[in-house]
Amino acid sequence: MTAIKKIIAGYLENEALTDVMHATYTGTGLRLDDRPNEIPAEFVDIPLALQSAEATVSGEFTAEVSVDGGAATEKTVRLNQAKVTITRGLAAGDRVTVVRQRGGQRYSIIDRTGD
């Protein structure tokens, strides 16, 4: 009877649709907590919100600026083909929450975590 329970428990564990876990992004993949091997990047889905987005910007931008609660002054900045980073992508060492898809072949990063 114990052997049958082990077989059923193993089957149910493998049939789980997803597992939520925590990991560290290494720059080349994921190192899951409590797992010795790194998951290579080709098996990891990274959402667009966690990928770097860069653009070239030109124009004149004006804003009111107040330093330490003082009187606001108007400042103008002129940019000509300035390269800007709109979102910061994942960096090596970032902690992330990950969902393992059925069968454990693919991993999807949900978001950065604060720990």
Side-chain angles (χ1 to χ4, degrees):
M1 189 67 165
T2 304
I4 293 173
K5 286 182 181 178
K6 287 181 181 178
I7 291 170
I8 292 172
Y11 172 78
L12 291 175
E13 184 177 314
N14 288 333
E15 285 300 308
L17 295 177
T18 61
D19 287 325
V20 177
M21 54 194 72
H22 298 282
T24 301
Y25 181 71
T26 64
T28 58
L30 290 177
R31 181 157 319 275
L32 301 171
D33 291 359
D34 302 324
R35 304 268 172 104
N37 299 327
E38 182 175 314
I39 307 299
E42 59 262 20
F43 296 107
V44 179
D45 298 323
I46 301 174
L48 291 176
L50 295 179
Q51 296 179 25
S52 288
E54 297 179 352
T56 301
V57 177
S58 294
E60 186 173 293
F61 306 92
T62 303
E64 286 189 8
V65 178
S66 176
V67 178
D68 294 331
T73 58
E74 192 172 272
K75 298 287 184 180
T76 300
V77 175
R78 289 177 189 83
L79 301 175
N80 185 17
Q81 298 296 312
K83 293 185 187 234
V84 296
T85 300
I86 297 169
T87 61
R88 180 180 80 84
L90 289 173
D94 281 351
R95 298 281 298 149
V96 294
T97 302
V98 178
V99 174
R100 181 183 67 166
Q101 297 174 8
R102 185 178 184 167
Q105 297 300 312
R106 299 230 26 111
Y107 294 81
S108 295
I109 296 175
I110 297 173
D111 205 352
R112 283 186 192 92
T113 58
D115 56 2

